Amino acid sequence: MRCPVAGPYDDDVWGAMKAGPSQEEIRRHNLGTLLRHVHIGGSMSRAVLAERMGLNRSTILGLVSELGSAGLVREELPRDTGRAGRPSLVVRPESDRVYVLAFDVGVDRLAAARIGLGGVFLDRREISVPAGRRDAGKVAEVLAGAALDMVDAAGHGTYCVGVAAAVRGMVRRPDGLVRAAPHLGWEDEEFGEDLMRLLGLGLPVSVGNEASLGALAEHLRGAGAGCQDLLYLHGDIGIGGGVVTGGQLLSGDQGYGGEIGHMVVNPRGGRPCGCGANGCLEAEAGERALLEAARRDPSATGREAVHAVVEAADRGDITARAALHDIGDWLGIGVANLVNVLNPRTVVFGGTLREVFLGSAAQIRSRINRIALRASRENLRLRVGELGDDAVLIGAAELAFSEILVGPLETLARAGA
Amino acid sequence: MTATPTTPILRLSGIDKSFGAVQVLHDVSFDVRPGEVTALVGDNGAGKSTLVKCIGGIHPMDGGEYWFEGAQVQVHSPREAAALGVEIVYQDLALCDNLDIVQNMFLGREKRRGLVLDDTTMEEMATQTLEGLSVRTVKSIRQQVSSLSGGQRQTVAIAKAVLWNSKVVVLDEPTAALGVAQTAQVLELVRRLADNGLAVVLISHNMNDVFAVSDRIAALYLGRMAAQVSTSDVTHSQVVELITSGRSGDLGLARSNGVTA
């Protein structure tokens, strides 16, 4: 079985249809749209739903009762409104009943979470992986074990409706083949299929790039909520990126799009990059560049090491300051180029770049202001990620939810409800 | 909202202020727009605090106009400023250590039901305000302020300022005494206030903070407004020049041979 990779916005429900959609298809579409509204927007009244979806109240009532009898939403009194008068019921997602499994394959840390409809974390496990035990098969085994544990703990009357994993690598569309994950030493791994087999839940496992999924998460639930044109930079061991344009996650022909970290900013005499080129943004502004410029102990890497540099700079350490100054300049060059090409409304700095941004915003912004085109930069907003370390897991969950948000009743039926 | 020309909610023009023979502000104009963070920068003694105290109604102005929501107003006391919807969070925060978060937020403006305090309403309002600001760092709103970290105190002080449906919030060096992680929290909060539609004035010495969250930068130099520019139009070194010499290229004060009339 193939593992479909599709963002929640990829689905063209009317695709391949020549005549107008049938009644049944319209209803299916409306059910999915309504569920998406309460999944992303949280509890809301039928009146609000009617307004947002542009449908009349009796149609909304019908849709809500259909989703309600399937056990996807529930109507209840809101928490104290503090206002006089009889409060109207709100429609809320059945977060405890309907959930997905989301995985984040980090370089030295694996995370698995059970996330309920509405984006609620119900359960999570974190497992550290020693070096040498990071081959795809082993990782899939560990994650499947943790996941099945959580599925057992969830108990009777709960339904898993999707599974997705985020990897730090290039993932082919639409089959989810991991072409290369250099930090893990993976090459052409059918990771999704391995995981699916080990889980034995009868559900396909979608696989996505970690930064793209981070972008999706910040776009739907974080610093870019409500923003249709977003550029997301994710600092981890390298620099990943995700682009949302016109509300759609940019994937490119085969899904490899958005590799911001490998945009060459300094081709002549630039630092060598793990990809074989010289002067990639990741090589000039990534974690290793920062730690080296700050003359840190090369054995210390990761989030804490980056944090230590930013903190030292804040206390006035001139080496750390100079390092951040330099890194900020390169980041500014990278972002300015992307701003000219993509004209995003918001640029979000996530992962370790969150702290790097706050510690070098003056350089980043100055560089953008010097080289990005005036018209493209004047409404540009620079923001830090709001979802913190959970962005990738949340993005993976959103990928896993994409099926049920397109065909709620069919997907739930397939999950055995 | 950087370049969309929203009308200022607060506009000062031609402000003069002297303390005895010492002129501290000279012909200062200052605009503050809703949905934006306006950074107010300047060296020590440039007049930032005096300007803020004029906005907050603590210092009477010697001359100049105070416009609020398109109408000229007179502000003679902090109470009048608060009535307009202008709140100021001073550096010392003015929180009472021996009171809890709710008590601090309502200090001097307690809600009453008959003769007794209406604790339920106050707790609800405090909770709603903190939730509206996505503050997740505070465990209980009945916690004493003495048990809070520097960042949490700053958060409480800011929440106290926005509790009253304020429209303009002025923050005096909110990150000055904080570490990196707490600074990040406070900056996020500052940004969220503006994204929620408030007009925010941020006084800061830290250029990274200024460039990270502001939409506009106003630079004071020796009691004059050297320039008020969009953050997307200037570089770090230009802002530093405005602060240290009052001008940078075409920006800033006209050359005056060092004579400040």
Side-chain angles (χ1 to χ4, degrees):
Chain A
M1 178 150 186
R2 294 295 187 181
C3 306
V5 178
Y9 286 89
D10 281 0
D11 316 280
D12 180 7
V13 274
W14 314 131
M17 273 188 293
K18 299 194 177 63
S22 71
Q23 284 296 104
E24 203 32 59
E25 282 154 343
I26 292 175
R27 189 157 184 83
R28 180 170 175 263
H29 172 71
N30 285 341
L31 285 170
T33 308
L34 195 153
L35 193 59
R36 177 168 296 162
H37 274 288
V38 293
H39 170 64
I40 299 295
S43 308
M44 56 184 84
S45 68
R46 290 202 302 262
V48 172
L49 282 164
E51 194 191 308
R52 296 209 183 156
M53 291 174 64
L55 296 172
N56 64 44
R57 285 185 182 218
S58 64
T59 310
I60 295 289
L61 179 64
L63 294 169
V64 168
S65 57
E66 198 163 344
L67 289 173
S69 56
L72 287 162
V73 300
R74 172 164 36 110
E75 277 195 282
E76 59 179 33
L77 283 170
R79 279 193 314 171
D80 199 7
T81 54
R83 263 177 287 173
R86 190 168 63 96
S88 53
L89 295 170
V90 292
V91 182
R92 67 162 50 212
E94 284 274 15
S95 306
D96 296 330
R97 227 172 86 85
V98 180
Y99 67 89
V100 295
L101 293 168
F103 303 111
D104 178 12
V105 182
V107 172
D108 44 19
R109 185 193 67 116
L110 303 176
R114 201 164 68 80
I115 298 182
L117 195 61
V120 188
F121 276 80
L122 299 171
D123 197 354
R124 65 190 300 165
R125 306 285 154 92
E126 298 205 1
I127 310 121
S128 59
V129 226
R133 293 169 69 85
R134 293 174 188 164
D135 60 286
K138 192 76 210 163
V139 166
E141 236 170 74
V142 173
L143 285 177
L148 290 173
D149 218 36
M150 290 192 294
V151 171
D152 281 346
H156 227 61
T158 61
Y159 301 98
C160 179
V161 296
V163 189
V167 297
R168 279 135 189 81
M170 308 192 73
V171 182
R172 187 166 74 188
R173 231 168 82 106
D175 61 1
L177 180 79
V178 182
R179 287 296 305 281
H183 305 299
L184 294 161
W186 294 9
E187 226 171 279
D188 290 336
E189 297 287 354
E190 293 184 327
F191 180 63
E193 299 206 14
D194 288 353
L195 204 47
M196 177 181 126
R197 194 167 26 77
L198 289 163
L199 283 169
L201 295 169
L203 290 168
V205 178
S206 309
V207 182
N209 169 271
E210 118 274 14
S212 298
L213 294 177
L216 187 63
E218 291 288 351
H219 164 58
L220 293 173
R221 299 188 179 275
C227 166
Q228 300 300 298
D229 294 276
L230 174 94
L231 171 63
Y232 176 76
L233 282 86
H234 187 83
D236 197 280
I237 192 159
I239 293 180
V243 180
V244 173
T245 170
Q248 303 257 347
L249 192 60
L250 185 90
S251 73
D253 178 31
Q254 289 188 283
Y256 309 137
E259 285 291 344
I260 291 168
H262 296 290
M263 178 170 64
V264 175
V265 289
N266 187 19
R268 298 188 180 179
R271 293 164 54 89
C273 181
C275 72
N278 278 60
C280 293
L281 183 62
E282 171 172 317
E284 300 293 350
E287 178 185 307
R288 187 178 304 160
L290 175 69
L291 298 176
E292 278 181 27
R295 306 214 187 92
R296 295 275 150 168
D297 177 1
S299 66
T301 56
R303 170 169 302 278
E304 284 74 31
V306 172
H307 179 77
V309 175
V310 179
E311 205 157 61
D314 188 56
R315 284 196 312 267
D317 178 329
I318 51 169
T319 317
R321 277 190 162 186
L324 274 172
H325 195 288
D326 227 35
I327 297 303
D329 202 34
W330 286 117
L331 277 173
I333 291 172
V335 171
N337 275 309
L338 293 164
V339 164
N340 285 346
V341 175
L342 300 163
N343 182 210
R345 173 87 170 105
T346 309
V347 178
V348 178
F349 295 85
T352 52
L353 285 181
R354 184 172 175 272
E355 283 199 12
V356 171
F357 169 71
L358 292 174
S360 63
Q363 273 66 48
I364 295 176
R365 188 94 222 198
S366 297
R367 185 53 92 163
I368 294 170
N369 292 349
R370 270 201 301 273
I371 61 180
L373 299 169
R374 187 193 191 90
S376 308
R377 74 168 193 258
E378 62 185 7
N379 283 318
L380 180 71
R381 309 191 299 186
L382 304 184
R383 296 287 186 271
V384 289
E386 274 179 17
L387 304 174
D389 296 342
D390 288 336
V392 174
L393 268 180
I394 293 172
E398 292 307 328
L399 177 58
F401 275 120
S402 48
E403 282 277 292
I404 197 156
L405 298 180
V406 173
L409 304 180
E410 299 84 337
T411 310
L412 193 63
R414 245 179 285 138
Chain B
M1 314 270 146
T2 316
T4 29
T6 43
T7 36
I9 182 167
L10 171 72
R11 160 166 276 174
L12 302 182
S13 72
I15 302 297
D16 289 317
K17 175 70 192 169
S18 304
F19 293 110
V22 184
Q23 186 156 19
V24 183
L25 295 178
H26 185 95
D27 192 23
V28 167
S29 296
F30 185 49
D31 285 357
V32 181
R33 292 175 164 79
E36 291 190 353
V37 176
T38 304
L40 182 59
V41 299
D43 245 336
N44 292 332
K48 302 188 297 284
S49 299
T50 308
L51 180 60
V52 165
K53 285 178 177 161
C54 288
I55 293 173
I58 289 181
H59 291 328
M61 303 176 306
D62 298 342
E65 294 171 358
Y66 192 128
W67 292 76
F68 196 83
E69 292 183 317
Q72 196 176 347
V73 292
Q74 303 290 329
V75 176
H76 300 293
S77 73
R79 218 167 262 280
E80 287 178 24
L84 288 175
V86 177
E87 290 281 335
I88 299 183
V89 180
Y90 293 102
Q91 231 170 331
D92 61 13
L93 302 183
L95 295 175
C96 296
D97 264 358
N98 58 334
L99 300 180
D100 67 31
I101 294 177
V102 180
Q103 288 168 328
N104 263 290
M105 285 173 72
F106 287 85
L107 193 61
R109 303 189 253 192
E110 288 85 357
K111 294 271 171 202
R112 285 169 196 283
R113 178 177 286 165
L115 286 172
V116 294
L117 296 181
D118 185 355
D119 274 318
T120 332
T121 305
M122 290 196 286
E123 276 184 23
E124 255 171 37
M125 287 176 71
T127 310
Q128 276 176 11
T129 305
L130 290 169
E131 269 176 16
L133 299 172
S134 306
V135 172
R136 295 183 206 91
T137 49
V138 175
K139 277 194 219 89
S140 157
I141 52 168
R142 283 301 180 186
Q143 226 175 323
Q144 282 216 343
V145 161
S146 57
S147 68
L148 300 179
S149 70
Q152 289 172 325
R153 281 162 187 255
Q154 189 70 51
T155 304
V156 171
I158 293 173
K160 178 182 174 183
V162 302
L163 179 67
W164 305 97
N165 294 322
S166 39
K167 295 166 181 162
V168 177
V169 176
V170 183
L171 306 170
D172 191 359
E173 298 263 5
T175 63
L178 303 181
V180 169
Q182 298 193 332
T183 296
Q185 277 170 20
V186 171
L187 289 180
E188 256 176 75
L189 182 55
V190 169
R191 193 56 252 179
R192 207 170 300 126
L193 294 179
D195 288 346
N196 288 353
L198 254 73
V200 182
V201 177
L202 172 75
I203 299 181
S204 180
H205 274 111
N206 185 318
M207 283 301 123
N208 284 323
D209 292 1
V210 167
F211 276 92
V213 298
S214 77
D215 300 295
R216 251 168 246 276
I217 301 174
L220 276 171
Y221 174 70
L222 297 180
R224 293 159 182 269
M225 188 58 78
Q228 193 162 353
V229 292
S230 165
T231 309
S232 67
D233 282 340
V234 283
T235 64
H236 180 204
S237 35
Q238 282 176 309
V239 175
V240 171
E241 275 176 36
L242 286 171
I243 292 171
T244 52
S245 66
R247 49 183 290 121
S248 169
D250 298 339
L251 287 173
L253 301 167
R255 208 176 290 282
S256 56
N257 299 324
V259 181
T260 44

